[in-house]
Amino acid sequence: MAINRKSLVESHNPVLKNINTASPFSVGNGEFAFTVDVTGLQSLYSLYKKQNVPLCTMSQWGWHSSPDSNGKFYTFDDVVKTEYDFASGKKVYYASKKKSGNEEVYTWLRQNPHRMNLSEIGFLLDEKPIQETNLSKIKQTLRLYDGIIESSYHLKNIPVKVYTAVTPDNDTIICHAKSELIKSKRLTLKFHFPYGGYDISGEGECTTGMHLVEKIHSGKNLWVIKNICDKDAYYVYFYSRSDFNVRFCDNDFFVDFSLENVSFSITFKKNECDYSELKKKYDFIPISIEKLFKKTKKWWNKFWQEGGAIKLSNRKKTEKSADFNSASDNSTSLANELERRLVLSQYLLAINCSGSMPPQETGLMCNSWHGKFHLEMHPLHMLWSVFWNRSYLLERSIPWYQNHLEQAKNNASSNGFKGARWPKQVAYNGIDSPSPISVLLIWQQPHIIFMLESLYNVKNAKEKKAFLIKYWDLIRETADFMADYAVFNQNKNCYELTGPLIPVQEDYDECTVKNPSFELCSWKKGLEIACTWAFRLGNKVPERWSSVSSKLALPPMEDGLYTAHENCHDTFSNHAKDHPSMLFGYSFFADKNLKAENVLQTLEKVMSMWDYKSMWGWDFAMLAMCAERLQKTSLALDFLLCNSEKNTYEINGNNYQKSRDDLPAYFPGNGALLLAAAMLFAGYKEEGATLVPEYENLLVEVEKIIPLFT
């Protein structure tokens, strides 16, 4: 019997009946997102910001750079790099340490460009900010199946109803509001246009730069505002068929209506539109906001109906695991909670992380690491979409790599390497950020190969050849760097990965790291895939690729346990924290150089002594996949619902990293969860067979989920 998709999704609609600053609801489309409080807008902005959960309006294109204290803007060429010994007497240079006299440049380049908060949009009550005490009878529902937030509440005992959404095909907020307070002009719409900033809120103070808000166009139905922040600017188009009056004060824009029922749209654009077209479109052919709501609902209904689905229910009661800190005492709560996380994660990743650029770790909800994105996290965010029959979500961002291939090649050649070296922490421009970690990280390098191979595998026969041709340059240049970066050890007759480098587990001196476990596995797998692409296209396989992939050093092991890297003899005594990455080569893919019995011993050692509080949200899903490959199905489920502070999922579905005040959302956790669920419930392909786990206490219904094949 087919899964009732509508019922499945709507059963997990999150509902708020009071102010909850940890769980604001968002609407968006992957390119643009709008996060609101219980009023349906951002009326309680200051309250949420104080709790480090800012209510932002963010886009993929909305970036800003502010001048330094002397009014300067820098480039990566201005930073002084640190010299390192590599191999065979070769010197390499990385912007890893602050150099005396160059501190301001180093810091500026870390903070700029930064993603910016485009606006703060909320209600005022009697010309004053709404207070918590003004609100009562709150009920706010995120209607997942329709992509609409429905908010109802009383303001000083007078009812207010608000519907909020973002259109699927452009950066437009649509809103319908109803209240006597609007008609009496006691409820005013306020726009604040902030100056860009690099902190979690995406806004800052203009001290050395320029900030100017201009009225560009005013008409009966349409007003256009331009926000200028130094060298960056964008346009805001406010439209309503309802009569309204506008007031300006500094960088704020106030709107009063004279009706009880009002609808309006707010469109954000990087570039200015043709005003003759705008006048024709808005002044003479009024847009129905109702039609935009219907268009939004239609898109989301299709999203839920056509993608993958997993429905979980209990067969019978099961006992709590005796040797593991499980989040669930019985399969009823396990099934419901896990199903809730899966449904909400799909929604959150679609609106926050499925745009034209790789996503930052907090998506479009707020800033993390100055709003820059981390390329090592890209598959953890979005690789799941391939296996959930939504590969188009990931494919939107792949052209970014093509557009920045030259920057990646320059990154490699700056230290005398061939091919393209993909950076770690970047903005839209593809330029790395100075950092004691970012510039030395390498595990992001093969990720574009894994993502392209996964996308290729789900193409139909007619599409495959064109796909290979289209992305061959990315594969070739990426693999060329990987092969050239590996160093041949004559004494051991193998290729090695040697420092300076920082591994997945960022807990080591860059000069002591050698042959990190996961990097060896992913390097080998990436080069093997690259060789396969060359063969598929009828091209000669570069000898260096096949030589490095076949002769790469084995993952290091001591006393039957895999270690973080070859020189880390104290992995389990002094480094049992952060990512247990020595197991991850058995998660993404079962590396044939990893022996199952030793992987199991290592997993058991991690379980017995690892600092779970230091682990990150995506670690639990990676361990679940590792356990599943070891045919430890119950353990895999326990990992997914492990009761740990960084494995918590709020009412809104955000994987909140509780021990940090800068990550109210952590979407690699949501994405890794969906990836693991595809394996745990639809199975995985290994040596030609598809292995599908069986669950004694769970009834699992799966539709349109592709078995994991990496």
Side-chain angles (χ1 to χ4, degrees):
M1 186 176 181
I3 296 173
N4 185 328
R5 302 295 190 90
K6 189 172 187 291
S7 175
L8 169 66
V9 173
E10 291 184 339
S11 68
H12 298 291
N13 283 346
V15 178
L16 296 178
K17 294 188 176 180
N18 49 50
I19 297 170
N20 185 335
T21 57
S23 279
F25 295 163
S26 302
V27 283
N29 56 29
E31 287 293 309
F32 176 87
F34 182 57
T35 300
V36 305
D37 56 44
V38 294
T39 69
L41 295 173
Q42 300 165 333
S43 312
L44 306 175
Y45 183 87
S46 297
L47 172 66
Y48 281 70
K49 186 177 179 180
K50 287 178 183 177
Q51 300 299 318
N52 293 309
V53 187
L55 305 173
C56 295
T57 307
M58 285 195 161
S59 70
Q60 296 287 5
W61 49 261
W63 296 82
H64 169 249
S65 292
S66 55
D68 79 342
S69 58
N70 296 311
K72 293 182 178 180
F73 296 82
Y74 298 103
T75 70
F76 202 70
D77 292 336
D78 295 314
V79 71
V80 178
K81 299 177 178 63
T82 298
E83 180 183 275
Y84 293 93
D85 292 322
F86 185 61
S88 303
K90 181 176 182 176
K91 301 291 185 182
V92 290
Y93 303 86
Y94 297 105
S96 57
K97 303 182 189 298
K98 286 184 181 180
K99 297 293 186 178
S100 178
N102 196 239
E103 296 93 342
E104 188 162 15
V105 174
Y106 183 99
T107 300
W108 189 93
L109 287 169
R110 281 182 59 76
Q111 297 173 348
N112 295 275
H114 42 257
R115 203 182 299 267
M116 66 183 299
N117 184 10
L118 301 177
S119 70
E120 172 193 338
I121 306 168
F123 287 125
L124 295 179
L125 179 62
D126 297 328
E127 300 294 321
K128 297 178 181 178
I130 293 173
Q131 304 298 315
E132 291 179 76
T133 54
N134 299 149
L135 289 157
S136 61
K137 297 184 179 181
I138 295 169
K139 184 180 180 183
Q140 184 178 53
T141 304
L142 173 52
R143 289 166 35 188
L144 296 166
Y145 193 74
D146 296 332
I148 295 172
I149 299 170
E150 181 178 346
S151 310
S152 62
Y153 49 93
H154 284 200
L155 274 176
K156 291 190 174 180
N157 299 317
I158 300 175
V160 181
K161 187 90 167 184
V162 180
Y163 295 90
T164 314
V166 163
T167 56
D169 53 358
N170 55 43
D171 303 343
T172 298
I173 301 165
I174 49 177
C175 186
H176 176 77
K178 177 182 179 180
S179 178
E180 292 179 4
L181 292 170
I182 301 174
K183 183 177 181 179
S184 62
K185 298 185 180 180
R186 294 184 60 195
L187 201 59
T188 299
L189 190 61
K190 175 190 174 184
F191 291 73
H192 173 67
F193 298 101
Y195 182 72
Y198 59 81
D199 74 359
I200 186 174
S201 70
E203 61 176 299
E205 292 192 18
C206 182
T207 55
T208 60
M210 178 189 73
H211 186 204
L212 178 65
V213 177
E214 295 181 344
K215 179 183 72 174
I216 301 298
H217 173 84
S218 61
K220 180 180 178 182
N221 300 114
L222 174 72
W223 277 63
V224 183
I225 310 300
K226 182 179 182 182
N227 188 20
I228 305 168
C229 297
D230 305 306
K231 296 179 180 180
D232 304 291
Y234 59 91
Y235 298 83
V236 182
Y237 302 81
F238 177 82
Y239 168 81
S240 179
R241 286 191 302 174
S242 308
D243 289 339
F244 61 89
N245 295 314
V246 174
R247 293 171 285 134
F248 265 106
C249 181
D250 299 325
N251 294 330
D252 296 337
F253 168 60
F254 302 89
V255 181
D256 290 310
F257 295 95
S258 56
L259 300 173
E260 183 176 346
N261 279 282
V262 297
S263 296
F264 54 88
S265 66
I266 310 158
T267 301
F268 294 78
K269 289 186 177 292
K270 178 66 175 175
N271 300 310
E272 191 173 2
C273 293
D274 184 305
Y275 285 110
S276 61
E277 288 299 311
L278 284 173
K279 183 174 179 62
K280 177 181 177 182
K281 183 176 182 181
Y282 285 99
D283 286 354
F284 301 123
I285 310 176
I287 292 175
S288 167
I289 305 300
E290 183 180 81
K291 287 184 178 179
L292 293 180
F293 272 109
K294 287 181 178 179
K295 184 177 184 180
T296 301
K297 290 172 63 176
K298 182 179 180 180
W299 191 94
W300 280 103
N301 293 172
K302 183 179 180 182
F303 172 87
W304 293 112
Q305 289 294 336
E306 294 188 351
I310 295 175
K311 182 172 177 57
L312 304 173
S313 55
N314 67 303
R315 293 182 190 272
K316 62 180 181 179
K317 187 174 181 179
T318 183
E319 296 301 321
K320 183 177 180 179
S321 174
D323 60 353
F324 197 74
N325 190 20
S326 172
S328 175
D329 286 333
N330 62 74
S331 59
T332 303
S333 56
L334 182 152
N336 186 70
E337 174 58 16
L338 186 51
E339 187 181 273
R340 181 187 79 89
R341 295 183 183 189
L342 296 179
V343 169
L344 285 168
S345 292
Q346 293 172 71
Y347 175 82
L348 290 169
L349 292 163
I351 68 171
N352 282 289
C353 305
S354 67
S356 56
M357 293 183 195
Q360 64 170 324
E361 297 193 29
T362 47
L364 295 174
M365 179 186 170
C366 62
N367 269 353
S368 53
W369 288 277
H370 315 311
K372 298 182 180 182
F373 42 89
H374 294 172
L375 292 190
E376 84 278 16
M377 292 289 106
H378 195 182
L380 291 164
H381 281 280
M382 292 307 300
L383 189 57
W384 68 273
S385 65
V386 176
F387 304 98
W388 284 71
N389 198 38
R390 296 194 183 98
S391 59
Y392 63 92
L393 295 177
L394 171 62
E395 203 159 352
R396 291 171 178 173
S397 56
I398 299 300
W400 183 89
Y401 291 87
Q402 290 180 305
N403 296 336
H404 294 88
L405 183 58
E406 287 305 312
Q407 286 94 328
K409 290 168 67 175
N410 292 337
N411 191 26
S413 64
S414 67
N415 277 312
F417 293 111
K418 297 177 182 177
R421 179 173 185 168
W422 297 105
K424 182 252 201 261
Q425 182 173 310
V426 295
Y428 65 91
N429 55 13
I431 305 299
D432 216 338
S433 299
S435 164
I437 293 171
S438 296
V439 294
L440 298 163
L441 214 69
I442 66 168
W443 70 285
Q444 72 275 15
Q445 181 66 22
H447 284 359
I448 182 60
I449 296 178
F450 300 150
M451 291 187 289
L452 286 172
E453 175 70 0
S454 297
L455 289 166
Y456 168 82
N457 281 324
V458 296
K459 295 293 179 183
N460 62 45
K462 292 182 179 180
E463 297 171 326
K464 285 184 181 291
K465 185 63 178 291
F467 190 84
L468 290 171
I469 295 171
K470 181 177 182 179
Y471 291 115
W472 169 240
D473 284 351
L474 283 181
I475 296 286
R476 186 187 67 247
E477 298 291 351
T478 300
D480 276 348
F481 170 79
M482 293 170 63
D484 197 37
Y485 184 84
V487 177
F488 189 68
N489 185 321
Q490 294 281 358
N491 296 327
K492 296 181 180 179
N493 191 33
C494 69
Y495 287 92
E496 298 185 313
L497 300 179
T498 185
L501 69 84
I502 296 290
V504 179
Q505 188 187 11
E506 301 168 357
D507 192 40
Y508 304 99
D509 180 273
E510 65 268 27
C511 295
T512 66
V513 176
K514 185 178 182 180
N515 290 328
S517 295
F518 180 64
E519 283 78 354
L520 286 173
C521 295
S522 60
W523 227 252
K524 177 179 176 62
K525 185 70 173 180
L527 285 171
E528 288 175 348
I529 294 172
C531 290
T532 301
W533 273 56
F535 177 79
R536 288 169 180 158
L537 283 166
N539 298 336
K540 183 180 178 180
V541 177
E543 184 178 345
R544 178 78 174 190
W545 295 7
S546 54
S547 179
V548 172
S549 64
S550 62
K551 292 185 178 181
L552 203 60
L554 296 177
M557 182 169 57
E558 294 183 10
D559 300 324
L561 302 174
Y562 289 106
T563 59
H565 64 88
E566 187 175 304
N567 292 331
C568 190
H569 309 293
D570 57 350
T571 294
F572 297 98
S573 55
N574 293 322
H575 297 281
K577 59 183 178 180
D578 198 64
H579 309 296
S581 57
M582 71 292 299
L583 292 167
F584 293 171
Y586 219 70
S587 301
F588 265 136
F589 34 79
D591 189 299
K592 293 180 180 179
N593 286 331
L594 294 171
K595 299 183 183 299
E597 60 269 25
N598 299 110
V599 173
L600 179 57
Q601 291 179 47
T602 308
L603 178 60
E604 290 172 342
K605 187 71 171 179
V606 166
M607 289 172 59
S608 69
M609 64 179 306
W610 212 262
D611 177 16
Y612 275 76
K613 288 185 177 180
S614 69
M615 286 168 56
W616 293 73
W618 59 273
D619 289 331
F620 299 95
M622 295 292 278
L623 292 177
M625 289 191 283
C626 179
E628 183 53 55
R629 288 194 192 275
L630 293 168
Q631 299 182 38
K632 301 290 183 181
T633 297
S634 295
L635 180 59
L637 286 173
D638 279 343
F639 274 123
L640 288 189
L641 286 169
C642 177
N643 188 13
S644 184
E645 59 188 43
K646 287 186 181 175
N647 196 41
T648 58
Y649 287 72
E650 296 296 325
I651 293 172
N652 61 6
N654 285 353
N655 178 210
Y656 202 148
Q657 304 297 277
K658 288 293 188 180
S659 59
R660 298 179 61 112
D661 59 10
D662 60 342
L663 294 173
Y666 187 66
F667 295 122
N670 296 88
L673 170 69
L674 292 172
L675 191 62
M679 173 189 281
L680 268 61
F681 301 124
Y684 57 98
K685 295 181 179 179
E686 200 164 276
E687 296 182 353
T690 299
L691 306 177
V692 181
E694 294 184 3
Y695 298 89
E696 179 183 357
N697 301 305
L698 272 181
L699 180 62
V700 182
E701 298 175 68
V702 176
E703 288 182 357
K704 297 184 180 179
I705 305 287
I706 301 169
L708 217 63
F709 47 70
T710 49

